[in-house]
Amino acid sequence: MSHSTGQHYVGSHDRASPMNPRETTTTVKVDRDHRVTIGEYTSPNARIRCRDVGVFYGEKQAVQEINLDIGKHQVIALIGPSGCGKSTFLRCLNRMNDTIPDCRVTGEITMDGQPIYGEDVDVVPLRAQVGMVFQKPNPFPKSIFENVAYGPRIHGLVHVKSDMEEIVEKSLRRAGLWDEVKDRLAQPGTGLSGGQQQRLCIARTIAVNPEVILMDEPCSALDPIATAKIEQLIDELRTLYTIVIVTHSMQQAARVSQRTAYFHLGRLIEVGETAQVFTNPQHQLTEDYITGRFG
Amino acid sequence: MLLGVAAYHLGSRRARGLIKPDGPRLHSLPGFYGYYLALWATLPAMMVILLWLLGEGQIITAGALAALPAEMTQGDVNQLSLLVNDIRNVAAGSGYEQADTVIKSAAERYLQLERQSNLLLTVLSLCVSLGGALHAQRRITPEFRARNQVEKILTFGLTGCALLAILTTVGIVLSVLIESIRFFQMVPITDFLFGLKWSPQIAMRSDQVGSSGAFGAIPLLTGTLLISMVAMIVAVPIGLLSAIYLSEYAGPRFRSTAKPLLEILAGIPTVVYGFFAALVVAPFIRELGSSIGLDVSSESALAAGLVMGIMIIPFVCSLSDDFINAVPQSLRDGAYALGATQSETIRQVIMPAALPGVVGGILLAISRAIGETMIVVMAAGLSANLTFNPLAAVTTVTTQIVTLLVGDQEFDSPKTLAAFALGLVLFLLTLALNILALRIVRKYREQYE
Amino acid sequence: MSDSSTQKTANARSHDIVMAGLGKRRRAERRFRAYGLVSIMAALVFLVLLFTSIVSKGYSAFLYTNLALDITFDPQMIDPEGARSPEALASGDYDALWKSAIYKLFPDVTERQKKRALTGFVGSSAGQRLRAMVKADPSLIGSTQQVWLPVDDTIDMLAKGNLGDAAELSDKNKDSLIWLTELQNQSRIRKAINKEFFMNGDSREPEAAGIWGAVLGSAFTLLVTIGLSLPIGIAAAIYLEEFASRNRWTDLIEVNINNLAAVPSIVFGLLGLAVFINLFGLPRSSPLVGGLVLTLMTLPVIIIAGRSALKSVPPSVREAALGIGASPVQMVFHHVLPLAMPGMLTGAIIGTARALGESAPLLMIGMVAFIVDVPTGLTSPATVLPVQIYLWADSPERAFVERTSAAIMVLLVFLVMMNGLAVYLRKRYERRW
């Protein structure tokens, strides 16, 4: 999927192919180690600011020197070849890396000005604010209703049954699943189809009123029709939430995101408006990836 | 054995001899012809020896008994077996001086028959062995598929070994069932299953009153249940919480020291636990009870159950550990991403997901507790009280089996047969639990594959 | 856009609620974590308690209190006729020798009852020991020797302080304690390594009871068990894993084996009693029958371990062997089996270790009988170490408590060695594919 490129990028492919990469780097003011991120990584209305973020697994450094702002009410897509550290970086944003032994995060990440890796920061409210949807749909082995109600329940958001029903309905509606499941809320969530399960997981995330939703390749395990539905949903959710999506599919990034960040070997190579990154990549590596030379 | 080795060499030599530059190629490696020959030389002979040894005892005994005067062999079965025992003892050389002449002559006849039989057996097995080897040797030709033949015999043997498992089960069922049926002919099955009173000793002595009515298994079953329940109350929370801590909280270093230590607990023989229960735990509980004004029996169900619980902790712990680890990481991630704390994730997401497996594991543990023998034999009482008070002395099915069968009893009394009936109950009970548990566990494993 | 602003307030409200509930949830978290830790600690405390109670009770059994007596080998008592033939030497009154020796030590004890108590000071095997000495060296007769003799088991307990404070003692034991202190002052009391414990068979007298018979019985029994269960178990595992096609029969066998592994051991004992002893007429109490019963019990364990060892050999090895034209049998025996062997052996050792600690089924087949003689073969009556422990645990004498604990320690040492071997094998041959 990621190898194929859209028709309108063929031109850029032609332009880049005869060039020696080394010569290219001189033209776009980047050293050969790709030490500097190209493009505007800051954002005027940033919700999350990352400065010089690095992630280590034991001795091995998986991600280094990431500087990136994530603005309000927009979708930012993280793209790059497998193993480039984009998922690892994503998991830093709600401290999901804490669950992995030997994993260490350096640098600074702030949310609304507060450092999220501070000593006294509790991950529980952080994760309530920054929700996450995973690659493979992972509904709990509970009923559909309970899946959605779980978050509000543990956080004590509602105490009355009718309020809970309201939240569940609202969340399922926002996730575009209500009409499909409203008659079988008591059935197990694992009985739904893959696409429905993934939307159930989105509904589950929405139910705790997060401000940011992280999505880690949310469509990679789904068929094209289910994917289209999720992509449409992401577009709708943009008005209410800030969304960071990791994706393998460049088309998907182009379709759903406003900004795109390209990762390569644990570094953020280039970031910018999606249209600009895809039509006029500044870095040779970005261009090679987008034109399908590797990835 | 020796013949087999010799036959192997003969066979492979002969096969090598068959290799001629212009002749047909051997089908198999020469070694296989050797094996073929060796198998023919040993297997039939071994079969003969086995059959002979099985039948020998009866024939010789019959022969020896025939040497006795007729009136002595007229007695009933028990007297006869006593007589046979005497003869064997004298033949083996013990108590020769005291034995009377009739027995002595019978013993001599016994020995003589034994010698004859041994001689006959040696000759016969040698003949069969040589015959087999000869037969096999004649079949060795270049075209002969020795490898296939040898492999066929080999797989046959392997199959036989696997079938032994079924044979064991059949053996258990048959032996226990047959004796139980004999028991139920003496004591009605309803009395056994629903009787509230268990006193086999009285039943033994009271021939004049009639030996029925004292074989009610209910007190034993409730006793077993009571002790198992105490054991599970100890083992399940401790085992489960330990497993949770080890798999979810503990660092790798703590885990790698604590786990083997817990497994030591599983490797300790049950007789050691029994000793510990009888010598340390039971007096301790008794004293503790009397210090707060409770009357605790020195063979209380509590002591036996407590120690049995300790024994089962590692079992519950390692099974639960397996099942908790089998819960996919994605479920944990999902809960964490919603902002659940670790304990909320464990209690509300992981445990429900692991529940079927854990329940299966607990069922297996219960079946172990029910079948556990040494702890209860040593620490629980013999008096069959129908009570659910854990401070009182109760007895269990396994304890009664041991007390009924240990010591010299004639085999056909209702007392010994009752042990087999109890064995049948025990077997069926644990079998049902095991099948149920294994089915649940298997279903659970499939769910997360 | 109003949707967006209500969402914003909802977010803020949620955040406040989450923050408010946080303290309570964190406390619950800590509590839950503590439960887990406490559970593990409880289990480990049980373990420590078990070991300390057994070691503290048992270690003293490896030493035994001996008493030095100046024995005069009086020809009048040993062999009045002076024949010096073995029969004559055997029939001498050796008890009188040590009795007179101990009376001599306490000349002021004249009361009949106290005199009897004094003779109870020395272990009842003393006479036999002296007889053995004379038998080995008849020239002792007529001489006076200082001989170390084991004291009575009660006195041994007294010397070891196992009977409690002086105030709790019975009058008889109080007297003994006085004598004991006096003898100690004369340095006639010493603790020596209890050789009898390791070299004797069972006995009714604690001071003469040893574990050697039981150890040999265990060895014979395990010999039968290993000799049968290892080849049969491995063969069955090979068949089920490599040759059997999956059909109802093999499914049945598999379910069967899994169930057999969970059948209570005592049921195997019933099987052994009914089939091996009553049907086949094999000798009761013999290691042969015990070994057969334990074989049936161990087989499922070995088969299950063997199968998982075979399963862990990657299919590429099989395909490679078949690819160069090996028959399936050759493939298994030349290539798969050697690779799976360490895993199979590890399983077998663990299974055998379990068999070594097993006692319930052996009670059923009569290995619980009181047997003094050290077993000489597979069919001679014997007992095994765990059953010996059971028997001693049932004995009323105080001295048997310490012996039981000591026997348990010996058994545990054997078990630790076997499990250590299994761990070593696993570590040594561990292979990750």
Side-chain angles (χ1 to χ4, degrees), chain A residues 137-154 164 167-168 171-172 177 184-192 196-197 199-208, chain B residues 331 334-335 338 348-349:
Chain A
N138 56 351
F140 300 134
K142 300 167 184 277
S143 71
I144 294 171
F145 184 92
E146 280 303 315
N147 259 287
V148 182
Y150 182 68
R153 183 163 292 150
I154 53 168
M164 184 61 90
I167 283 197
V168 169
S171 307
L172 284 172
L177 195 61
R184 44 174 175 154
L185 289 174
Q187 286 175 20
T190 42
L192 297 172
Q196 288 173 325
Q197 284 189 13
R199 277 181 282 152
L200 178 63
C201 291
I202 293 175
R204 186 174 75 184
T205 311
I206 293 170
V208 284
Chain B
L331 282 185
L338 283 177
Q348 295 154 3
V349 176

Side-chain angles (χ1 to χ4, degrees), chain B residues 151 158-159 165 169 171-172 241 245 249 265 268-269 275-276 279 310 339 341-344 374 405 411 430 434, chain C residues 25 29 33 37 39 46-47 50 54 57 235 239 256 259-260 262 264 270-271 274 278 327 357 359 393 405 408 415:
Chain B
E151 289 183 353
L158 294 181
T159 319
T169 311
I172 289 177
L241 285 169
Y245 189 86
Y249 286 110
L265 222 43
I268 293 175
F275 180 67
F276 182 63
L279 204 78
I310 297 173
T341 64
Q342 215 168 348
S343 67
E344 284 161 353
M374 293 319 288
L405 283 182
F411 196 67
T430 50
N434 293 339
Chain C
R25 288 167 69 191
E29 172 75 23
R33 206 184 155 113
L37 198 58
S39 299
F46 284 138
L47 183 69
L50 188 83
I54 282 170
K57 284 198 167 67
Y239 174 75
N256 225 300
N259 275 323
L260 274 183
L270 289 176
L271 168 80
N278 285 328
S327 74
S359 33
S405 304
I408 287 176
L415 287 176

Side-chain angles (χ1 to χ4, degrees), chain A residues 152-164:
Chain A
R153 183 163 292 150
I154 53 168
H155 292 303
L157 297 184
V158 284
H159 300 286
V160 190
K161 195 164 176 267
S162 58
D163 288 356
M164 184 61 90

Side-chain angles (χ1 to χ4, degrees), chain B residues 29 32 54 58 88 147 151 154-155 157-159 161-166 168-169 171-173 175-176 179 234 237-239 241-246 249-250 254 258 261-262 264-265 267-273 275-276 279-280 306 310 313 339-344 346-347 364 367-368 370-374 377-378 398-399 401-403 405-408 411 419-420 422-424 426-427 430-431 434-435 438 442, chain C residues 25-26 28-30 32-37 39-44 46-47 49-51 53-54 57 231-236 238-240 243 246 249 251-260 262-268 270-271 273-275 278-281 284 295-296 299 303 325 327-330 333 356-360 363-364 368 385-387 389-390 393-394 400-402 404-405 408 411-412 415 419:
Chain B
L29 294 173
F32 280 106
L54 279 182
Q58 253 104 52
R88 283 206 188 125
R147 200 198 70 214
E151 289 183 353
L154 198 69
T155 32
L158 294 181
T159 319
C161 290
L163 281 177
L164 198 67
I166 291 211
T168 309
T169 311
I172 289 177
V173 171
S175 60
V176 177
E179 308 298 342
V234 174
I238 293 186
L241 285 169
S242 302
I244 288 172
Y245 189 86
L246 283 178
Y249 286 110
F254 184 81
L261 281 177
L262 280 182
I264 290 180
L265 222 43
I268 293 175
T270 54
V271 67
V272 178
Y273 281 110
F275 180 67
F276 182 63
L279 204 78
V280 179
L306 190 72
I310 297 173
I313 287 173
T341 64
Q342 215 168 348
S343 67
E344 284 161 353
I346 294 164
R347 278 183 288 132
L364 281 179
S367 127
R368 273 192 85 166
I370 290 176
E372 171 47 42
T373 308
M374 293 319 288
V377 167
M378 293 167 84
T398 47
T399 314
I401 295 177
V402 170
T403 30
L405 283 182
V406 168
D408 289 321
F411 196 67
F420 282 90
L422 287 178
L424 181 68
L426 188 64
F427 179 70
T430 50
L431 188 73
N434 293 339
I435 289 180
L438 290 174
R442 192 193 267 195
Chain C
R25 288 167 69 191
R26 282 292 161 203
E29 172 75 23
R30 274 196 294 275
F32 188 72
R33 206 184 155 113
Y35 293 152
L37 198 58
S39 299
I40 293 187
M41 288 307 155
L44 294 183
F46 284 138
L47 183 69
L49 209 66
L50 188 83
F51 272 93
S53 75
I54 282 170
K57 284 198 167 67
I232 295 178
I234 289 178
I238 290 172
Y239 174 75
L240 289 175
F243 297 116
R246 283 196 67 85
W249 270 102
D251 271 355
L252 184 69
I253 295 181
E254 194 171 339
V255 170
N256 225 300
I257 289 171
N258 284 336
N259 275 323
L260 274 183
V263 164
S265 56
I266 192 170
V267 174
F268 285 97
L270 289 176
L271 168 80
L273 177 60
V275 173
N278 285 328
L279 196 64
F280 292 166
R284 240 175 116 85
T295 298
L296 294 183
L299 262 182
I303 294 176
S327 74
V329 173
Q330 286 168 324
F333 281 87
L356 173 61
E358 194 57 70
S359 33
L363 301 183
M364 300 287 94
V368 68
L385 210 41
V387 176
I389 290 167
Y390 164 69
D394 255 10
F400 271 122
V401 171
E402 126 187 318
T404 315
S405 304
I408 287 176
L411 177 63
L412 289 180
L415 287 176
N419 283 308

Side-chain angles (χ1 to χ4, degrees), chain B residues 100-120:
Chain B
D100 62 33
T101 44
V102 191
I103 300 280
K104 260 190 215 168
S105 70
E108 265 157 31
R109 173 107 185 102
Y110 184 88
L111 284 176
Q112 186 197 352
L113 281 171
E114 209 170 56
R115 272 195 301 275
Q116 280 174 1
S117 149
N118 280 343
L119 190 72
L120 212 63

